[in-house]
Amino acid sequence: MDDDKFIRLAIELAKKGMAAKDGGPFGAVIVNQEGEIIGQGNNMVTSTNDPTAHAEVVAIRDACNNISNFQLEGCTVYSSCEPCPMCLGAIYWSRPDRIVFASSREDAANAGFDDDFIYKEIPLPITDRQIPTTQQLQDEGQQVFDEWKVLEAKIDY
């Protein structure tokens, strides 16, 4: 793999998206084992009014659509910046083999994109988080999982 080549492409996508006023300065590329680009994206949060339209998520959606699979095993995710907690979660759920990034989360924070508060919130008990969070009707919610456990037509992931 030519990591530098694909990181440069992710950076170029970040620049293009920023110039197009799609959203923040972030880009991502997903490459399969053969070195083929199967997905790419830039941040599109403000142009789509979608707070989840980060570059990595856009690229994951593109790649999964292109390969008709919800898993990216054997692939590498290249990002112009260290993935935020949401993107990192999406990347882990898609199960690529590797992540390669250029700028750090500290670099992003210095540009006004400070995700540090999310990193600090995650390990806190739900009662101590800044967005009030409660749990209700756990027994009823659990019934859905009980049904899932015995569902024969399910697709495990």
Side-chain angles (χ1 to χ4, degrees), residues 5-30 37 39-44 55-56 58-59 62 78-80:
K5 171 185 167 184
F6 295 119
I7 280 290
R8 285 188 178 110
L9 180 55
I11 293 168
E12 188 59 33
L13 287 168
K15 290 178 184 179
K16 285 181 181 177
M18 187 173 57
K21 299 182 180 173
D22 283 339
F26 304 96
V29 177
I30 300 177
I37 296 169
Q40 60 184 13
N42 58 273
N43 183 291
M44 300 185 75
E56 297 89 340
V58 171
D62 185 40
Y78 293 91
S79 181
S80 64

Side-chain angles (χ1 to χ4, degrees), residues 25-60:
F26 304 96
V29 177
I30 300 177
V31 178
N32 66 16
Q33 289 173 319
E34 290 76 36
E36 301 165 332
I37 296 169
I38 61 167
Q40 60 184 13
N42 58 273
N43 183 291
M44 300 185 75
V45 169
T46 58
S47 65
T48 62
N49 294 316
D50 180 354
T52 69
H54 288 200
E56 297 89 340
V57 173
V58 171
I60 289 168

Side-chain angles (χ1 to χ4, degrees), residues 82-116:
E82 182 177 356
C84 75
M86 177 187 69
C87 292
L88 190 59
I91 291 167
Y92 269 81
W93 281 119
S94 68
R95 292 177 173 80
D97 287 7
R98 297 189 314 138
I99 304 167
V100 180
F101 64 89
S103 300
S104 69
R105 64 183 176 193
E106 292 80 15
D107 296 329
N110 287 333
F113 297 94
D114 191 1
D115 299 326
D116 192 50

Side-chain angles (χ1 to χ4, degrees), residues 58 129 132 139 149:
V58 171
R129 294 182 183 164
D139 291 342
K149 289 177 189 177

Side-chain angles (χ1 to χ4, degrees), residues 122-137:
I122 291 171
L124 294 176
I126 61 171
T127 56
D128 294 342
R129 294 182 183 164
Q130 290 186 26
I131 296 177
T133 306
T134 59
Q135 181 179 18
Q136 294 180 207
L137 302 175

